[in-house]
Amino acid sequence: MAIKRLALSTGGGDAPGLNAVIRAAVRAALNRGWECVGIRDGFNGLMFPERYPDGGVFPLTSTTIRGITHLGGTILGTTNKGNPMKFPTQRADGTWYEKNRIEEVVELFKKRSIDALISIGGDGSLTIANALFQKGMRVVGVPKTIDNDLDKTVITFGFDTAVSFATECIDRLHSTAESHQRAMVVEVMGRYAGWIALNAGVSGTADAILIPEIPFDINKVAEKIKSRDAAGRMFSIVVVAEGAKPKGGTFAVKEKELGRADRLGGAGEMVAKDIQALTGKETRTVVLGHLLRGGSPTTFDRLIALRFGAAAVRALEEGQSGIMVALDPPTVRYVPLEQATNRMKAVPLDCDTILTARDLGISFGD
Ligand code: F6P
């Protein structure tokens, strides 16, 4: 059956490049004569139309998508609390549980005569996309996350922008760290994967990089800092992934909430306190946090976002469904959503960036 009406949704944390995907997908779809609509805030626009002045689902026309390629954020809005498969619901006895409302969502798509969906998001959104596909919908996923932790694609858009900005921040910290002879701890996002910390840390010539994949011994980090001091390098930069954890310890969780992933945070502060105690050096912490998700996408992110958006429409036109577009240089290919969401893509311990870091004398605290 030919597609008449295509919906687009962006879910999870935003990432630079979302608008570029939207523009390319809508442009390509309009060229094929398909009507396009945007769902506000993940699937919330569909599930709670009463919350929105425009009914939560709005037309995406050539005017709506004009001039948005370079803009950060998403014109559709997003949420990481709107997972219809884990919907916080209260029981009669007052206790809460996560309810799966996926069937309801399928019905809502039907009611709006939507024939196909392009779901742009991370592991959460792509798992929902796969569930919708299993229930008979035509769905193509587009991988997004600054964390780069999605399997089956070499890279996700948003990652390059985050790494570029983090590297610039680390560069800037060198002079102030040196002037004050301090240890500077820089905490970066990335959830349970260390991609941002590793790539920015190596590019910004950090002295130690702590990532979730390599549980650290803080004494080893302190030794590295002391050895630099002994060599007359009186300052040090330590990059800490928010998901870094000490050997035998666990992640620093800031907040737990039903219906969403745990919020990480605090790893940098913890590491800084220990470094100060063990080395006697004045230590400061900088948490880059959401700054990594803001601003315009780099050229690299813009281009893969545009390529992903257009490829998603080509896939739907070819009759494909239940797949995700993926970067497999030099091409964009399609992989089953099932495979893409099976496991998280962690940093392989033997990857050449880790080996390079070790050759450069960067400590992983191991
Ligand atoms: O997945 C993207 C991400 O930015 C993670 O790196 C981070 O842990 C999380 O989202 C933060 O989420 P929130 O926007 O809810 O603070």
Side-chain angles (χ1 to χ4, degrees):
M1 203 180 64
I3 294 173
K4 290 202 188 87
R5 202 160 202 233
L6 169 72
L8 275 82
S9 149
T10 50
D14 66 344
L18 281 168
N19 283 324
V21 178
I22 295 167
R23 182 164 191 282
V26 171
R27 194 63 273 159
L30 294 175
N31 288 346
R32 286 162 173 80
W34 305 352
E35 185 192 342
C36 297
V37 293
I39 304 171
R40 294 207 184 271
D41 304 340
F43 295 99
N44 283 352
L46 194 67
M47 296 177 76
F48 311 106
E50 69 286 355
R51 290 186 190 168
Y52 300 88
D54 62 359
V57 178
F58 66 105
L60 290 170
T61 63
S62 50
T63 312
T64 335
I65 56 157
R66 191 162 295 148
I68 63 168
T69 304
H70 64 293
L71 299 181
T74 159
I75 60 163
L76 303 181
T78 188
T79 176
N80 44 22
K81 285 186 173 184
N83 188 340
M85 295 172 76
K86 291 183 176 179
F87 200 84
T89 307
Q90 202 167 21
R91 294 190 187 89
D93 64 3
T95 57
W96 289 82
Y97 72 106
E98 292 175 342
K99 185 177 175 182
N100 188 346
R101 294 177 62 171
I102 203 76
E103 309 260 2
E104 227 177 290
V105 176
V106 174
E107 284 315 305
L108 291 168
F109 273 113
K110 280 190 194 150
K111 239 168 92 180
R112 291 198 184 248
S113 309
I114 292 168
D115 312 306
L117 168 72
I118 294 180
S119 175
I120 313 159
D123 54 345
S125 309
L126 296 174
T127 303
I128 300 165
N130 191 35
L132 292 170
F133 164 67
Q134 303 291 345
K135 297 279 171 204
M137 279 192 57
R138 283 162 89 165
V139 188
V140 169
V142 176
K144 159 250 58 163
T145 171
I146 63 161
D147 305 337
N148 195 35
D149 60 354
L150 278 172
D151 205 19
K152 303 291 172 202
T153 180
V154 165
I155 221 156
T156 51
F157 67 85
F159 174 63
D160 185 63
T161 310
V163 170
S164 302
F165 182 71
T167 304
E168 189 191 326
C169 293
I170 298 167
D171 287 348
R172 284 169 184 254
L173 288 172
H174 271 82
S175 54
T176 176
E178 187 162 19
S179 308
H180 288 265
Q181 305 192 345
R182 284 174 171 157
M184 299 294 304
V185 174
V186 191
E187 182 186 303
V188 296
M189 282 186 168
R191 229 186 277 273
Y192 304 111
W195 293 104
I196 299 178
L198 177 66
N199 285 23
V202 173
S203 307
T205 63
D207 303 297
I209 303 173
L210 307 182
I211 59 173
E213 292 84 349
I214 307 178
F216 63 88
D217 174 352
I218 196 67
N219 294 297
K220 294 276 171 62
V221 182
E223 271 168 32
K224 170 76 192 178
I225 294 171
K226 284 200 248 174
S227 76
R228 278 178 55 78
D229 278 7
R233 305 290 286 150
M234 303 302 290
F235 71 99
S236 288
I237 308 268
V238 180
V239 176
V240 179
E242 62 178 356
K245 54 182 182 192
K247 274 186 185 149
T250 186
F251 308 109
V253 175
K254 207 170 194 174
E255 198 185 355
K256 283 179 181 287
E257 200 185 329
L258 210 63
R260 58 154 296 162
D262 288 350
R263 265 185 78 202
L264 298 178
E269 197 52 53
M270 198 178 71
V271 165
K273 238 174 78 199
D274 290 347
I275 288 176
Q276 182 148 332
L278 290 168
T279 64
K281 281 190 89 65
E282 205 177 17
T283 305
R284 294 285 186 271
T285 316
V286 179
V287 180
L288 295 182
H290 295 84
L291 289 169
L292 299 177
R293 296 208 323 228
S296 290
T298 57
T299 310
F300 181 86
D301 278 341
R302 240 180 252 195
L303 185 59
I304 52 167
L306 291 166
R307 290 169 67 193
F308 280 175
V313 169
R314 289 198 300 274
L316 285 169
E317 187 181 41
E318 286 164 16
Q320 302 221 46
S321 183
I323 51 114
M324 176 185 91
V325 300
L327 188 70
D328 185 8
T331 193
V332 169
R333 65 186 183 101
Y334 307 132
V335 292
L337 276 169
E338 189 75 58
Q339 282 180 20
T341 52
N342 250 349
R343 56 169 209 146
M344 187 195 91
K345 183 178 70 187
V347 175
L349 297 185
D350 58 352
C351 73
D352 85 284
T353 313
I354 297 251
L355 301 180
T356 303
R358 292 197 192 276
D359 281 334
L360 289 167
I362 297 172
S363 166
F364 286 98
D366 60 344

